[in-house]
Amino acid sequence: TSPFTATTSVGLRQERIESQYVTNQGQGLFPGVTNFASAVKTLLAQGQQLTKAFSYYASEEFLTMQERLLLTAGMDAERSSTNGDPNKFFVYPKFSASYRLPWLPPKTDNFKLRLAYGKAGNQVPVNFKYTYLANTLEAGVNGLSPSTTIGLSTVAPEQTTELEGGFDATFLGGRAGLEFTEYHKKTTGLVLTAGLAPSTGFTLQTINGGSLQNVGTEVGLNLVPIQGRMFSWTSNTTFS
């Protein structure tokens, strides 16, 4: 029997999302009339969006100690056209470990300890790095003026870091199971819009600011009170 097993994965991902739309809106139409030309007020809108994302990934799994210890490590390097710098890669690592105890208390089938750490990014929404030009009408002449919302040319993805640990246990020949998890999750660099003084000529600006934190406990209890050929009763309870 091999003293360990190692599994390596590497690859890349490419994503392209393109959309185009045309909207015709009419107000003041007579009932049953669907011709926009006869509306009291008409509105025409047209838009297009293109998002391109590219990433590399690599991971390694290492199983040893008679398949009791499992170690994993991985990494994602991602870039997106919605970022302020579309050529910059953001790296997100992840690690985890689990260990099945060789000795078990009475009536216990399996007891596994686990610990994991990971980092991930949330893709920036489309066009948050630009300040738009909006149509304006002055003295009967069409023109363009800056939008009231300032884009952020250096906008970056929101980054979420999570650390969790716990255990899984089964008892009584699989008739009972207990899962316990403690976790700490924090997201930084939230993509938000913040207010500006009207004297600047703008009302909002896009920012990478603020953070969100979530700390909690999850407990799951799985029971099979009755198990027979004709009837089985399974109970799953979760507390968080």
Side-chain angles (χ1 to χ4, degrees), residues 133-226:
L133 293 176
N135 291 326
T136 184
L137 184 65
E138 184 69 27
V141 178
N142 286 321
L144 296 173
S145 63
S147 167
T148 56
T149 301
I150 302 177
L152 180 62
S153 61
T154 59
V155 66
E158 302 172 347
Q159 299 192 23
T160 300
T161 303
E162 183 172 5
L163 176 66
E164 70 169 45
F167 66 83
D168 301 323
T170 55
F171 310 92
L172 304 174
R175 299 285 293 271
L178 179 64
E179 301 173 357
F180 177 85
T181 302
E182 284 274 354
Y183 64 89
H184 183 284
K185 181 188 292 185
K186 185 175 183 180
T187 302
T188 58
L190 295 174
V191 181
L192 306 170
T193 53
L196 289 173
S199 58
T200 62
F202 299 91
T203 58
L204 297 171
Q205 65 175 343
T206 302
I207 62 171
N208 270 124
S211 63
L212 182 64
Q213 182 171 282
N214 186 9
V215 180
T217 303
E218 294 181 352
V219 181
L221 179 62
N222 307 314
L223 298 173
V224 185
I226 301 175

